[in-house]
Amino acid sequence: MRIILFLLIVFSFNFSLYAQQTSIVDFKKLKGNISLHPEKKSVKGKVSYTFKILKKSDSIYLDGKNMQVELLKNSPLKAELKSTDDKIWISHQFKSGKTYTLDFSYEVKNPKQALYFVGWKNNKNPQIWSQGQGKDNSYWLPSIDDLNDKIIFELTYEVPKNYRAIGNGVLKNHQTKENSEIWEYKMSKPMSSYLVGVAVGKFDFISLKSKSKIPIELYFEEKDSALVEPTYRYTQKIFDFLEKEIGVDYPWENYKQIPVRDFLYGGMENTTNTIFAETLLTDSIAFTDRNYVKTNAHELAHQWFGNLITEKSSADHWLQEGFATYYALLVEREIFGEDYFYHKLFESAEKLKEESDQGKGESLLNPKAGYSTFYEKGAWALHILKEKIGKENFNKGIKNYLEKYQFQNVSVEDFIKELEKSSKEDLTTFTEDWLKQSAFQAEQALNSLKKSDFIKTYIETIALRKLDFEDKYELLNQALDFPVNKYIGQEAVFQLEGKNLSKKHHKLYKKAFETNDVYIRQAIAKTLSKIPFELKSAYESLLKDESYLTQEIALANLWGNFPEERTKYLNYLKNTSGFYDKNIRILWLTLSLATPDYLNAEKQNFYQELAEYTSTTYDYSIRQNAFAHLYQINVFNEDIYKNLMQATTHPVWRFRKFSRDLLKELLKEKEHKNALQYLSSEFSEKQQQVLEKALKNK
Ligand SMILES: [Zn+2]
C-alpha cells in the first residue's frame, strides 16, 4: 500500500496535462485522402473524422497548424468549422454519448515542420517523408497532438506519377492515374497521432516473413541495391527474437522499414512503418564499424513499447526509450555475444557515472531529462530490475503489463504495479534508487557488471593505466596473447600511446598487428599517428583492413608520415568510397589535390567532384564531410559558398550548426567575407539573415 501512496504523490502532477480534451471527446477513426504536391510543397486533403462525445459540449478541436478548412457538402455532421494558427475548432451542440462523423477538406502550404520535401528542386532522387514525434504531425494532417487519444487511421496518399507512398498499415489498393499514383493504406487498431508516418520516393523492396508469419518489407532506392543485404542483415532474426523475448505477439499486421535522405534522427518508429536515416545504409565492410542492427532492433521494440502502449506524459518517457534501448541491447547480445553486451553496459555506466559525478544526473521521471537518462540510464534500470526480481518474474510482468494496457496509455506507476504483482516484491527501493534519484547508482551497476568474468579482466587491464610502462610491460604483453579478447587487446594498445616509444613498445605493437583482429588493429591506427620506421610496413597493411574507419585513418597518417610514398598510398585506395558519407573518397580527393604532381591532368575533375558533394543532391552527412575537407585545403568557389548558405538553414540541426560554425570561421578571412557579401543578393531571405547575424557576431 505504501508504494501506491508514494507513487500517487509522484505522479499526480501529470494529470492536468492530459485531462483536457480527452474527457470531452474520444476521436475514433480518421479516413483521409491526402494529396502531396512537391512542386508547391503543399498538402491537400479530404478527411472524415468519427468521434464520440463523452461530455456535453458546444465546441471541440483538432490540432492543425495553419490549415485552411472547409466543411464538405455531404458531411453527416453540419458543424461550424473555424481554423486558428494551431487548431481547427468544431462548433455544434454536441450531446454526451453520441457518435458523430465530420467530413471536411483542408489545405496546408509549405508545412514548417513534420513533412519534408527533399530533392525536388534538382530532381535528384526526390523524396517526401514525415517525422511526427514530438507532436508535430498536425503541421500537415489534422490530428490530435495529445498522445492520450488513440485513433484508427485509414490514410490514402496521392503522389506524383511513378512514385510510391508507404504509409501505416496494410496497402489495400493502388491505382495509377494520368498524372499520379494513389496508395490506399488501412490500419485496424488505434494509435497516437504522432505515430502516423509516410515516405514517398522511387522505392523498391524485398519481402520477408517472420516465424509468426508477419510480412516484413525492406525498402531501398535502386542506387543502393548493393547495400540491401548488409544493411538489413539479421532483420528476421531480430524480429523473431523480440517476439519471443517480449512474449507478446507483434501487435500489428505488417512491418516496413524505409531509409530516407536528410532524416532528422537515426530512426522513427511510426507504427508498422519505421523511417530511418539513409546514412545507416552499409556495405559489408562498413558493417564492421557502423551497422543498422541497433536502430533496426530499437525501432522494432517500439512497436510494442511506445506504439502498442504509449506514455501518458513525458514523465513516463522511460517506458518508451528505456525499453526500446534495453531490448535492442538484448538483440545485440544475441547477435554479437556476451562480451559485446557487457562492454556496452560498461561504457554506458562509465558515461552515466561521469555525468552523475559532475552533478548532471537526472531522474528517469523528469519529463525534461535528456538522451543519456531516458535511453541509457533507462536501459540500466531495466537490467537491474530484471536481475533483482529474476528473468522469469520480469518477463511475466512485462507480458501482463503489455496485455493489460494494449492500445492504451500507461504511466510508470502502472508498470511498477504489474512488476510488483508478478514478482510479489516491494519495489520501493528500486523505484527510489533507479527512477526517482538523479544520481546514477554506480556501485550497484559495478556489482552487476562484475558478474561477467570478461568485465573483471577488462577492469583489471584498465587499472594498469596508472602504472609506468616498464612495470606493466609483461601484463600488456599477456593481454595480447592468443586467443585475444578484442576489448582487452584494444585497451592494451591504447596504453602504448606516448611520446618516446622504446623497442619494447615496438614489440608490443608488432604483436598487436599480428593478432589480425580488425578492432585491435584499428586501436593502433587511432593512437599511433607518428609512425616509427620499424612499424612502417605493418602500418601500411592497415590500408587493407576490412574497416573504412581504419583505412581512412591509415591513409591520412601514412600520407602525412611518408611524403615520398604518397602516390603509392593514394593509388591503393583510388577506387574506395567508404561509408555512406564517402569518408574515404572525400579524404582521397582532398589528399590528391594536396599532392603536387599526382594525377595533375585530373585535378580539375577531382575538385569538381569534391565541390559537388557539398550540393543538395547528397545527404547532409556527405555534404558535411565535403565542407570540412574543403575548409582544410581552403578552396571555395561560388557554388560551394551557395551550398554552404543553403546548409545554414538545413532542417537537420547538427548540420545546420556545423554550417553556421563554418560560416563564422570563413568570415574571419577577408577573401571569404568579400565573396560571401558579393553573392548575398543570390541568397534566400532566411540565408541573408543568417549571414548578417554571423557578420555582426563575428
Ligand atoms: Zn526510440
Side-chain angles (χ1 to χ4, degrees), residues 36 109 130 153 165 171 180 185 197 228 233-234 243 258 264 277 321 332 343 379 393-394 467 501 508 522 554 568 619:
L36 305 174
K109 286 184 184 130
S130 69
F153 290 90
L171 177 64
S180 64
Y185 286 88
V228 172
R233 196 175 289 170
Y234 302 117
E243 271 205 309
I258 313 112
L264 307 181
E321 295 311 337
E332 289 191 293
H343 185 253
N393 290 333
F394 181 86
L467 300 185
L501 299 183
L508 290 188
Q522 189 176 83
K568 179 174 97 184
D619 186 84

Side-chain angles (χ1 to χ4, degrees), residues 133 267 269 298-299 302 320-321 324-325 375:
Q133 198 175 23
E269 69 273 17
H298 180 102
E299 308 309 338
H302 273 311
Q320 303 194 169
E321 295 311 337
T325 306
Y375 290 67

Side-chain angles (χ1 to χ4, degrees), residues 308-326:
L308 175 62
I309 50 122
T310 308
E311 64 189 36
K312 276 187 178 155
S313 81
S314 305
D316 307 304
H317 202 44
W318 173 53
L319 302 176
Q320 303 194 169
E321 295 311 337
F323 283 60
T325 306
Y326 178 65

Side-chain angles (χ1 to χ4, degrees), residues 502-540:
S502 64
K503 289 270 174 253
K504 274 182 162 176
H505 282 93
H506 294 168
K507 205 176 153 207
L508 290 188
Y509 271 119
K510 275 187 190 146
K511 191 168 175 179
F513 274 117
E514 282 159 14
T515 60
N516 282 330
D517 180 285
V518 71
Y519 298 100
I520 294 174
R521 290 167 59 91
Q522 189 176 83
I524 304 175
K526 279 180 180 168
T527 50
L528 188 66
S529 53
K530 205 166 165 269
I531 306 163
F533 194 75
E534 291 93 315
L535 298 175
K536 179 168 170 267
S537 70
Y539 199 99
E540 284 170 348

Side-chain angles (χ1 to χ4, degrees), residues 304-371:
W304 287 266
F305 303 103
N307 302 8
L308 175 62
I309 50 122
T310 308
E311 64 189 36
K312 276 187 178 155
S313 81
S314 305
D316 307 304
H317 202 44
W318 173 53
L319 302 176
Q320 303 194 169
E321 295 311 337
F323 283 60
T325 306
Y326 178 65
Y327 278 91
L329 197 54
L330 297 184
V331 165
E332 289 191 293
R333 171 160 73 184
E334 191 67 12
I335 293 169
F336 302 123
E338 200 76 2
D339 289 357
Y340 178 96
F341 174 77
Y342 276 103
H343 185 253
K344 281 279 163 201
L345 279 176
F346 178 85
E347 277 187 329
S348 87
E350 286 274 279
K351 189 174 132 196
L352 289 163
K353 183 179 181 314
E354 197 186 318
E355 285 173 6
S356 178
D357 289 350
Q358 290 168 356
K360 291 181 194 155
E362 293 167 326
S363 156
L364 266 167
L365 304 176
N366 176 354
K368 295 208 166 100
Y371 173 88

Side-chain angles (χ1 to χ4, degrees), residues 167-169 187 250 252-256 270-274 303:
N168 305 90
M187 293 195 67
Y250 177 76
W252 317 97
E253 289 159 285
N254 65 14
Y255 189 54
K256 312 172 219 86
N270 311 297
T271 306
T272 73
N273 215 29
T274 285
Q303 301 296 323

Side-chain angles (χ1 to χ4, degrees), residues 63-162:
D63 293 295
K65 305 208 170 72
N66 304 310
M67 287 180 179
Q68 285 180 354
V69 294
E70 201 180 317
L71 190 75
L72 288 177
K73 280 199 185 91
N74 53 358
S75 171
L77 171 64
K78 309 290 181 207
E80 200 182 307
L81 295 188
K82 200 184 140 208
S83 58
T84 61
D85 286 356
D86 62 351
K87 287 193 172 48
I88 300 164
W89 287 96
I90 307 160
S91 301
H92 183 77
Q93 294 304 320
F94 292 114
K95 290 183 187 142
S96 175
K98 203 173 161 190
T99 298
Y100 297 89
T101 299
L102 173 73
D103 297 353
F104 66 93
S105 64
Y106 77 97
E107 185 174 356
V108 198
K109 286 184 184 130
N110 206 357
K112 246 195 219 153
Q113 289 177 46
L115 190 75
Y116 298 88
F117 297 89
V118 180
W120 294 87
K121 245 188 211 159
N122 52 12
N123 210 27
K124 295 271 172 71
N125 305 307
Q127 296 174 345
I128 307 169
W129 47 261
S130 69
Q131 168 58 32
Q133 198 175 23
K135 299 174 176 175
D136 293 340
N137 273 331
S138 55
Y139 278 95
W140 64 278
L141 180 72
S143 49
I144 296 291
D145 288 351
D146 189 335
L147 276 54
N148 292 278
D149 197 347
K150 296 200 172 189
I151 298 169
I152 297 177
F153 290 90
E154 291 184 7
L155 297 177
T156 296
Y157 297 97
E158 183 169 7
V159 297
K161 183 108 172 176
N162 297 325

